Amino acid sequence: MITLNNVLFKWHKQQAKPTLSIPALNIADGEHVFLHGPSGSGKSTLLSLLAGINTANSGTVKLLNTDLAALSNRKRDVFRSDHIGYIFQNFNLLPYLSPLENVMLGCQFSKPRQKKALQQSASLEQEAARLLTALGLTTEHHQQNAANLSIGQQQRVAAARAFIGSPELIIADEPTSALDANNRTAFIELLFAQASIAGSTLVFVSHDESLQSLFNRSISLSDITEQVI
Amino acid sequence: MILIKLAYKSLLNRRGSAFLTLFTIAISVMLLLSIERVRVDAKSSFSNTISGTDLIVGARTGDIQLLLSSVFRIGHTNNGVSWQSYLFIKQQRGVAWTIPLSLGDSHKGQAVLGTSLDYFTHYKYGKKQPLTFTQGTAFSHLNEVVIGSEISSKLNYQLGDKVIISHGMGNTSFHHHDEDPFTVVGILKATGTPVDKTLHIPLAAIELIHGGGHSEHEHEHEHEHEHEHEHEHEHEHEQHNENLTGEPKQITAFLMGFDSPLYTLQVRRNINQYKPEALLAIMPGVTLRELWEMLSIVEKILLLFSSIVVLVSLLGMLTTLLASLNQRRRELAILRSVGARPWHLFSLISIESLLITLFGCLLGCGLFYGLMSIAAGFLQSHGGISVTISMLSHYELVLIGAIMAAGFIVGLIPATRAYFYSLTDGMSIKI
């Protein structure tokens, strides 16, 4: 699913020390990976490389056997929207859309994901409603303004948006940082269940190491990065 | 489709600023359409100050001078038309009617027109509308006057009031015909033409107050036998008209109508080549258009001003969109994160500006029709402009199309910026 080989990344070319240096990283299909590391260790940088927002200065980043650096900007945009679902730390819902519309937005710009969503349900709206209900957002909240939802509810909407159209990779960037321990565990279990149904690989990033026991694999960024002096 | 929905919902979310921008465009569209409609209708009303009259005949001067003096009561001609010439031309083949006009006297600065009863039946203005009375009737005695609506309202004259005519024009005329007071017997309905500012008296009365035609005694005699005169209404109209017309030595000009338009050019040529007297016959419609051409600079300035108003409102939209764009970088980045490409965001902002312009134009059209229906009466009575409340003309639709195109072009600036923002911001929603 994900293969990184001799990846070196610098924000600026003049930088003496690279921001990220990963000799090798392999994540298999369907794995639920917990990626952790202290603040400033390069977690977000790694995610930006996986999502194809930035490209490595050297080495290869392959997703689904596709070398992201070999794609043009436009093709990388298309690849990202077709194969990657993203859950942000602060959810990033559009406040003027309802939860249903926010979830549908997840596949509006990708034909393959729309197709997959329509294989699950008769319409995109029904699929969005199914995902929201599966993630614990009751139907009375489906049409209300997203800005009026609680943090927990917004989080469920953000997760449903990432899952719609069953993308092969779900990247969750510290989505539980605003939750208490009980809600955090419940939410992660919901994520696992949906990822399993969709057959998605889940890369969950957090600096909270107490969560690693919930995942079937845990990767410490400091273990996989090369120490450059 | 999703982009239109997103643009619409995003605008609705910022409805305060979006509506203000839209309203500014609506006001400018309303102004532009109103100015254009009033310009076209003013031109048409101006051309229709006199309608249904085929020729105006006067002493040989310039076309416009004759028109100004006979129709607009502006300036005066030095020479007149002799009564013999008038009678001769009147009897030409194809002449349906004539209206003699005698100008030169005034009342408190307002023109006094000596004419025949035919004036009230054949004189037409606007879209061949005849003169109508709000009160009273046409004069039937030599000492009676019919006043225009503005004379009535300005000088507060009612039926039965006495009016003294002065010799010459202007407010400070030294020679008043005090011995010949006239009684107001009719008030004309507003026409928005110089008729509103005119006092109409029998042509014979002009001669009378200048000491010609009937003697003073005869005039007095007529007063004494006013009651007896009432019974004379049974006389034939023509006979009565002749009494009121008299036989003056000369008149200022006269209006002519023909049985068929075919006669117009022929008679016009004959009059212009008339040997016994140097006369000039003009076709009022043609001369009015020539006069309007002289005033075309005013309409160009009006159009220029309204175009500037539209430009300013579109620049207002540009400012609002650019100002809001910086606040919306997060929204744009979210869209990028769910798969929107830079050109999607470019299209989104372009659609927003198009929607604002479109709804601005629609609201502007609504406001335009509202304004026109409210102002139509006022424009007719005060400006003499007969405004037509009809569907938008081809030219007006072209103007709206031009505004839409300009709105779209203006919207390309923030759209381009959104495109580049989205490239640099990528998916990093840390803005």
Side-chain angles (χ1 to χ4, degrees):
Chain A
M1 175 71 193
I2 302 171
T3 310
L4 271 74
N5 267 320
N6 299 320
V7 169
L8 199 76
F9 178 78
K10 290 177 183 176
W11 284 110
H12 306 289
K13 279 187 179 168
Q14 300 86 348
Q15 232 177 284
K17 192 180 157 187
T19 313
L20 203 66
S21 173
I22 303 175
L25 175 67
N26 285 296
I27 296 173
D29 278 359
E31 266 195 300
H32 298 167
V33 177
F34 180 70
L35 188 69
H36 63 95
S39 297
S41 60
K43 296 191 298 292
S44 296
T45 309
L46 175 58
L47 292 185
S48 76
L49 291 177
L50 292 179
I53 297 161
N54 294 310
T55 49
N57 298 103
S58 63
T60 54
V61 178
K62 282 188 176 178
L63 255 81
L64 297 163
N65 287 324
T66 305
D67 184 358
L68 294 182
L71 299 175
S72 65
N73 281 338
R74 196 186 66 80
K75 282 188 177 165
R76 257 206 309 274
D77 280 341
V78 175
F79 183 87
R80 186 189 309 124
S81 61
D82 287 348
H83 302 290
I84 303 172
Y86 217 103
I87 307 171
F88 293 94
Q89 189 176 0
N90 45 4
F91 323 126
N92 291 325
L93 302 180
L94 287 181
Y96 51 82
L97 297 182
S98 69
L100 270 182
E101 289 167 330
N102 264 294
V103 175
M104 284 191 286
L105 202 60
C107 64
Q108 296 282 11
F109 298 99
S110 166
K111 283 261 154 54
R113 281 177 73 177
Q114 276 183 33
K115 216 172 167 182
K116 281 191 201 169
L118 290 171
Q119 281 166 1
Q120 298 280 334
S121 304
S123 67
L124 292 182
E125 193 167 332
Q126 279 181 22
E127 176 62 0
R130 184 190 72 76
L131 282 167
L132 283 173
T133 310
L135 283 159
L137 194 77
T138 50
T139 46
E140 73 249 33
H141 298 299
H142 289 188
Q143 295 290 359
Q144 81 181 69
N145 203 315
N148 299 331
L149 298 175
S150 70
I151 296 289
Q153 288 166 336
Q154 284 188 38
Q155 195 178 42
R156 283 163 170 76
V157 178
R161 187 176 66 186
F163 277 112
I164 194 164
S166 310
E168 287 84 349
L169 176 62
I170 300 284
I171 297 174
D173 186 4
E174 304 197 41
T176 54
S177 56
L179 299 180
D180 57 51
N182 287 339
N183 280 317
R184 206 156 43 208
T185 308
F187 179 71
I188 289 170
E189 279 166 0
L190 277 173
L191 276 188
F192 287 170
Q194 280 310 308
S196 300
I197 293 167
S200 306
T201 305
L202 178 67
V203 176
F204 190 103
V205 178
S206 178
H207 60 265
D208 183 357
E209 292 182 24
S210 67
L211 298 172
Q212 61 182 312
S213 60
L214 299 167
F215 291 79
N216 50 24
R217 186 175 164 199
S218 172
I219 300 171
S220 168
L221 204 60
S222 54
D223 291 345
I224 60 163
T225 51
E226 204 173 43
Q227 295 303 310
V228 182
I229 302 162
Chain B
M1 200 60 202
I2 180 68
L3 289 177
I4 296 173
K5 189 179 171 185
L6 278 174
Y8 174 72
K9 291 235 171 186
S10 179
L11 280 176
L12 219 59
N13 188 46
R14 293 171 286 119
R15 60 181 79 85
S17 64
F19 182 75
L20 273 179
T21 313
L22 187 149
F23 192 67
T24 315
I25 293 174
I27 292 285
S28 68
V29 168
M30 180 196 75
L31 272 177
L32 184 73
L33 289 180
S34 303
I35 288 174
E36 173 56 22
R37 182 63 65 95
V38 170
R39 183 186 72 85
V40 169
D41 287 339
K43 186 177 182 178
S44 154
S45 296
F46 186 79
S47 305
N48 293 331
T49 306
I50 180 167
S51 68
T53 296
D54 295 316
L55 286 180
I56 300 173
V57 183
R60 195 166 294 165
T61 53
D63 289 13
I64 290 172
Q65 195 184 349
L66 177 59
L67 181 83
L68 287 175
S69 64
S70 60
V71 176
F72 292 94
R73 330 275 192 248
I74 298 169
H76 57 87
T77 50
N78 292 325
N79 296 314
V81 180
S82 73
W83 190 245
Q84 285 73 23
S85 298
Y86 165 69
L87 290 178
F88 176 77
I89 294 166
K90 186 183 176 181
Q91 282 151 18
Q92 296 298 303
R93 200 156 67 95
V95 177
W97 52 264
T98 56
I99 301 171
L101 305 175
S102 184
L103 288 151
D105 287 333
S106 68
H107 173 73
K108 297 188 177 172
Q110 308 297 330
V112 171
L113 172 69
T115 187
S116 67
L117 281 172
D118 290 328
Y119 183 85
F120 302 104
T121 48
H122 295 298
Y123 187 91
K124 300 218 165 40
Y125 69 100
K127 296 171 180 73
K128 297 208 172 170
Q129 294 154 268
L131 297 175
T132 50
F133 288 87
T134 48
Q135 288 179 62
T137 54
F139 44 68
S140 55
H141 296 103
L142 286 173
N143 60 339
E144 289 176 348
V145 60
V146 171
I147 58 173
S149 67
E150 210 175 309
I151 301 280
S152 165
S153 57
K154 239 184 192 173
L155 302 176
N156 200 24
Y157 283 158
Q158 303 299 327
L159 294 183
D161 285 353
K162 300 284 181 198
V163 171
I164 306 288
I165 305 295
S166 310
H167 185 66
M169 296 301 289
N171 269 321
T172 51
S173 184
F174 296 107
H175 186 188
H176 298 293
H177 303 291
D178 294 0
E179 67 276 22
D180 298 308
F182 287 81
T183 309
V184 178
V185 292
I187 300 169
L188 291 169
K189 197 178 163 191
T191 63
T193 71
V195 170
D196 296 348
K197 298 174 187 172
T198 306
L199 295 94
H200 308 83
I201 62 170
L203 185 62
I206 293 272
E207 280 299 294
L208 187 73
I209 59 179
H210 290 104
H214 300 270
S215 70
E216 204 169 304
H217 175 74
E218 275 175 310
H219 188 212
E220 279 170 11
H221 179 75
E222 208 169 327
H223 267 287
E224 283 166 19
H225 297 285
E226 204 167 314
H227 183 69
E228 199 177 314
H229 204 96
E230 294 293 324
H231 297 287
E232 283 172 24
H233 278 287
E234 290 164 13
H235 288 198
E236 282 182 17
H237 173 77
E238 272 182 33
Q239 178 66 40
H240 184 59
N241 200 2
E242 267 175 37
N243 290 342
L244 292 170
T245 307
E247 285 194 4
K249 277 183 196 150
Q250 65 170 24
I251 53 177
T252 310
F254 61 97
L255 311 179
M256 297 182 80
F258 295 95
D259 293 326
S260 158
L262 295 171
Y263 292 110
T264 311
L265 289 173
Q266 189 191 338
V267 174
R268 185 188 177 201
R269 193 172 55 245
N270 291 344
I271 292 171
N272 288 339
Q273 292 169 355
Y274 185 63
K275 291 268 190 280
E277 197 172 352
L279 296 179
L280 173 71
I282 59 165
M283 291 159 78
V286 175
T287 314
L288 277 166
R289 269 193 293 280
E290 282 173 13
L291 190 56
W292 182 263
E293 289 304 313
M294 290 168 68
L295 303 171
S296 64
I297 185 72
V298 177
E299 59 175 324
K300 279 178 188 153
I301 288 170
L302 276 177
L303 209 59
L304 178 73
F305 272 104
S306 49
S307 305
I308 289 170
V309 170
V310 172
L311 187 70
V312 167
S313 70
L314 288 176
L315 287 176
M317 179 177 80
L318 175 66
T319 313
T320 313
L321 283 177
L322 282 177
S324 66
L325 204 58
N326 214 21
Q327 298 157 5
R328 293 174 64 199
R329 284 179 80 161
R330 182 183 154 80
E331 179 190 330
L332 298 179
I334 292 172
L335 286 171
R336 283 282 282 145
S337 76
V338 293
R341 263 82 81 194
W343 73 264
H344 282 131
L345 305 185
F346 177 87
S347 308
L348 179 76
I349 304 295
S350 298
I351 291 169
E352 279 187 19
S353 59
L354 258 182
L355 282 176
I356 292 175
T357 319
L358 174 70
F359 285 112
C361 285
L362 288 177
L363 181 63
C365 289
L367 290 173
F368 159 68
Y369 278 112
L371 181 72
M372 283 297 111
S373 51
I374 291 168
F378 178 83
L379 286 169
Q380 174 68 62
S381 58
H382 287 77
I385 302 165
S386 164
V387 177
T388 46
I389 301 169
S390 57
M391 293 292 284
L392 293 176
S393 69
H394 175 72
Y395 184 66
E396 287 163 343
L397 286 172
V398 167
L399 282 178
I400 290 178
I403 294 171
M404 288 290 298
F408 176 72
I409 292 166
V410 161
L412 291 181
I413 298 167
T416 309
R417 191 172 274 196
Y419 181 92
F420 287 109
Y421 270 170
S422 69
L423 280 179
T424 52
D425 293 344
M427 278 173 56
S428 59
I429 311 178
K430 281 166 183 161
I431 305 151

